[in-house]
mmCIF file of all heavy atoms in Angstrom:
data_model
loop_
_atom_site.group_PDB
_atom_site.id
_atom_site.type_symbol
_atom_site.label_atom_id
_atom_site.label_comp_id
_atom_site.label_asym_id
_atom_site.label_seq_id
_atom_site.Cartn_x
_atom_site.Cartn_y
_atom_site.Cartn_z
ATOM 1 N N ILE A 173 96.735 16.307 -45.676
ATOM 2 C CA ILE A 173 97.115 17.094 -44.496
ATOM 3 C C ILE A 173 96.151 18.241 -44.283
ATOM 4 O O ILE A 173 95.710 18.504 -43.145
ATOM 5 C CB ILE A 173 98.546 17.636 -44.674
ATOM 6 C CG1 ILE A 173 99.563 16.489 -44.507
ATOM 7 C CG2 ILE A 173 98.842 18.712 -43.638
ATOM 8 C CD1 ILE A 173 101.006 16.890 -44.753
ATOM 9 N N SER A 174 95.755 18.930 -45.339
ATOM 10 C CA SER A 174 94.861 20.099 -45.215
ATOM 11 C C SER A 174 93.467 19.707 -44.699
ATOM 12 O O SER A 174 92.907 20.377 -43.854
ATOM 13 C CB SER A 174 94.751 20.822 -46.563
ATOM 14 O OG SER A 174 95.981 21.378 -46.943
ATOM 15 N N PHE A 175 92.935 18.592 -45.239
ATOM 16 C CA PHE A 175 91.648 18.141 -44.720
ATOM 17 C C PHE A 175 91.781 17.591 -43.311
ATOM 18 O O PHE A 175 90.834 17.670 -42.525
ATOM 19 C CB PHE A 175 91.050 17.103 -45.678
ATOM 20 C CG PHE A 175 90.374 17.701 -46.871
ATOM 21 C CD1 PHE A 175 90.980 17.680 -48.112
ATOM 22 C CD2 PHE A 175 89.145 18.344 -46.750
ATOM 23 C CE1 PHE A 175 90.360 18.249 -49.212
ATOM 24 C CE2 PHE A 175 88.513 18.915 -47.848
ATOM 25 C CZ PHE A 175 89.129 18.861 -49.081
ATOM 26 N N GLY A 176 92.948 17.048 -42.990
ATOM 27 C CA GLY A 176 93.201 16.634 -41.612
ATOM 28 C C GLY A 176 93.222 17.836 -40.686
ATOM 29 O O GLY A 176 92.740 17.752 -39.535
ATOM 30 N N ILE A 177 93.747 18.970 -41.156
ATOM 31 C CA ILE A 177 93.777 20.188 -40.373
ATOM 32 C C ILE A 177 92.348 20.717 -40.127
ATOM 33 O O ILE A 177 92.016 21.174 -39.032
ATOM 34 C CB ILE A 177 94.619 21.263 -41.089
ATOM 35 C CG1 ILE A 177 96.086 20.860 -41.070
ATOM 36 C CG2 ILE A 177 94.451 22.635 -40.420
ATOM 37 C CD1 ILE A 177 96.968 21.671 -42.005
ATOM 38 N N ILE A 178 91.497 20.627 -41.154
ATOM 39 C CA ILE A 178 90.095 21.014 -40.977
ATOM 40 C C ILE A 178 89.431 20.137 -39.928
ATOM 41 O O ILE A 178 88.664 20.608 -39.082
ATOM 42 C CB ILE A 178 89.342 20.933 -42.326
ATOM 43 C CG1 ILE A 178 89.881 21.974 -43.299
ATOM 44 C CG2 ILE A 178 87.833 21.162 -42.101
ATOM 45 C CD1 ILE A 178 89.309 21.870 -44.680
ATOM 46 N N ASN A 179 89.761 18.823 -39.977
ATOM 47 C CA ASN A 179 89.247 17.895 -38.976
ATOM 48 C C ASN A 179 89.696 18.304 -37.575
ATOM 49 O O ASN A 179 88.916 18.267 -36.606
ATOM 50 C CB ASN A 179 89.747 16.486 -39.299
ATOM 51 C CG ASN A 179 89.093 15.436 -38.432
ATOM 52 O OD1 ASN A 179 87.897 15.485 -38.166
ATOM 53 N ND2 ASN A 179 89.877 14.469 -37.982
ATOM 54 N N LEU A 180 90.973 18.715 -37.471
ATOM 55 C CA LEU A 180 91.505 19.178 -36.182
ATOM 56 C C LEU A 180 90.745 20.389 -35.694
ATOM 57 O O LEU A 180 90.415 20.511 -34.499
ATOM 58 C CB LEU A 180 93.003 19.510 -36.312
ATOM 59 C CG LEU A 180 94.001 18.357 -36.362
ATOM 60 C CD1 LEU A 180 95.408 18.933 -36.542
ATOM 61 C CD2 LEU A 180 93.936 17.536 -35.084
ATOM 62 N N LEU A 181 90.502 21.327 -36.584
ATOM 63 C CA LEU A 181 89.781 22.551 -36.222
ATOM 64 C C LEU A 181 88.384 22.229 -35.666
ATOM 65 O O LEU A 181 87.999 22.769 -34.623
ATOM 66 C CB LEU A 181 89.662 23.468 -37.446
ATOM 67 C CG LEU A 181 89.013 24.835 -37.190
ATOM 68 C CD1 LEU A 181 89.859 25.675 -36.243
ATOM 69 C CD2 LEU A 181 88.786 25.564 -38.528
ATOM 70 N N LEU A 182 87.666 21.346 -36.318
ATOM 71 C CA LEU A 182 86.338 20.968 -35.859
ATOM 72 C C LEU A 182 86.404 20.231 -34.523
ATOM 73 O O LEU A 182 85.600 20.483 -33.618
ATOM 74 C CB LEU A 182 85.662 20.072 -36.916
ATOM 75 C CG LEU A 182 85.349 20.728 -38.265
ATOM 76 C CD1 LEU A 182 84.814 19.701 -39.246
ATOM 77 C CD2 LEU A 182 84.344 21.868 -38.109
ATOM 78 N N GLU A 183 87.385 19.339 -34.391
ATOM 79 C CA GLU A 183 87.508 18.566 -33.162
ATOM 80 C C GLU A 183 87.869 19.426 -31.989
ATOM 81 O O GLU A 183 87.280 19.323 -30.897
ATOM 82 C CB GLU A 183 88.576 17.471 -33.372
ATOM 83 C CG GLU A 183 88.744 16.547 -32.166
ATOM 84 C CD GLU A 183 89.680 15.413 -32.465
ATOM 85 O OE1 GLU A 183 89.486 14.729 -33.496
ATOM 86 O OE2 GLU A 183 90.618 15.200 -31.670
ATOM 87 N N TYR A 184 88.832 20.334 -32.163
ATOM 88 C CA TYR A 184 89.258 21.202 -31.066
ATOM 89 C C TYR A 184 88.201 22.263 -30.753
ATOM 90 O O TYR A 184 88.088 22.695 -29.602
ATOM 91 C CB TYR A 184 90.603 21.857 -31.392
ATOM 92 C CG TYR A 184 91.746 20.868 -31.472
ATOM 93 C CD1 TYR A 184 92.862 21.117 -32.275
ATOM 94 C CD2 TYR A 184 91.724 19.683 -30.750
ATOM 95 C CE1 TYR A 184 93.910 20.216 -32.345
ATOM 96 C CE2 TYR A 184 92.767 18.769 -30.824
ATOM 97 C CZ TYR A 184 93.865 19.045 -31.616
ATOM 98 O OH TYR A 184 94.895 18.146 -31.695
#
Side-chain angles (χ1 to χ4, degrees):
I173 288 176
S174 294
F175 279 104
I177 291 167
I178 294 174
N179 188 41
L180 283 178
L181 183 65
L182 295 174
E183 183 174 309
Y184 293 152

